[in-house]
């Protein structure tokens, strides 16, 4: 199961914006024009965006700003949210990649379980894997 740790200085929101501005053909004006929240039409101000680029914004952006930035950056909202969490909350995440939605939902629910129950859950999962690997053999071997 591939896992990727995200967060930290190289994944900061300011860094994502600077990288976008460094792309060939990108200008600050083009970026600001594209930075619109599709849900509300909100546009962050030019001064605020300049401060973000210079890493001078001290508070985490509001959700509408993150949606606008995701649009302007051409990135998934979740990636922009993780970058904001890394920069403003010193929060690193681990993302499971290559898993179907049901598997990610199961993993998310595991965090809610009592740690004493995790060996039981593991035994159930291993029994399913064993049965799949050996369809004619006993389950849970």
């Amino acid at each position: 199961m591939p896992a990727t740790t995200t967060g930290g200085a190289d994944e900061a929101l300011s860094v994502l914006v600077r990288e976008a501005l460094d792309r060939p053909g990108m200008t600050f004006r083009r970026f600001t024009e594209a930075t619109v929240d599709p849900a509300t039409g909100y546009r962050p101000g030019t001064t605020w965006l300049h401060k973000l680029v210079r890493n001078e914004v001290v508070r985490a952006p509001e959700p509408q700003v993150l949606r606008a930035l995701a649009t302007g950056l051409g990135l998934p909202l979740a990636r922009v949210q993780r970058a904001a969490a890394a920069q403003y909350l010193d929060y690193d995440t681990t993302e499971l990649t290559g898993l179907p939605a049901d598997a990610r939902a199961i993993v998310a629910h595991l965090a809610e379980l009592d740690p004493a129950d995790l060996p039981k859950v593991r035994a159930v999962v291993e029994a399913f894997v064993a049965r799949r690997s050996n369809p004619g053999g006993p389950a849970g071997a």
Side-chain angles (χ1 to χ4, degrees):
M1 155 176 33
T4 306
T5 301
T6 59
D10 59 334
E11 275 293 312
L13 189 58
S14 296
V15 172
L16 290 182
V17 174
R18 282 194 299 272
E19 287 174 351
L21 291 170
D22 286 342
R23 292 183 201 140
M26 179 58 75
T27 65
F28 192 80
R29 182 180 184 138
R30 260 192 204 141
F31 176 71
T32 58
E33 289 172 356
T35 304
V36 181
D37 175 10
T40 66
Y42 175 81
R43 291 177 178 271
T46 303
T47 301
W48 186 88
L49 288 169
H50 273 291
K51 286 181 179 181
L52 179 63
V53 169
R54 293 188 311 263
N55 202 26
E56 296 173 356
V57 173
V58 295
R59 287 185 25 202
E62 304 271 330
Q64 65 189 13
V65 176
L66 294 177
R67 289 190 302 266
L69 287 168
T71 302
L73 293 166
L75 295 173
L77 177 58
R79 178 153 182 221
V80 173
Q81 290 168 325
R82 285 191 306 269
Q87 180 166 342
Y88 295 101
L89 303 174
D90 195 25
Y91 183 77
D92 293 333
T93 61
T94 299
E95 178 181 287
L96 299 174
T97 58
L99 292 177
D102 285 344
R104 288 192 307 272
I106 291 167
V107 171
H109 287 301
L110 291 176
E112 301 168 7
L113 292 179
D114 183 320
D117 291 331
L118 292 176
K120 297 172 199 163
V121 174
R122 182 177 179 169
V124 169
V125 171
E126 287 174 349
F128 274 104
V129 170
R131 186 174 342 147
R132 183 173 168 223
S133 299
N134 186 10

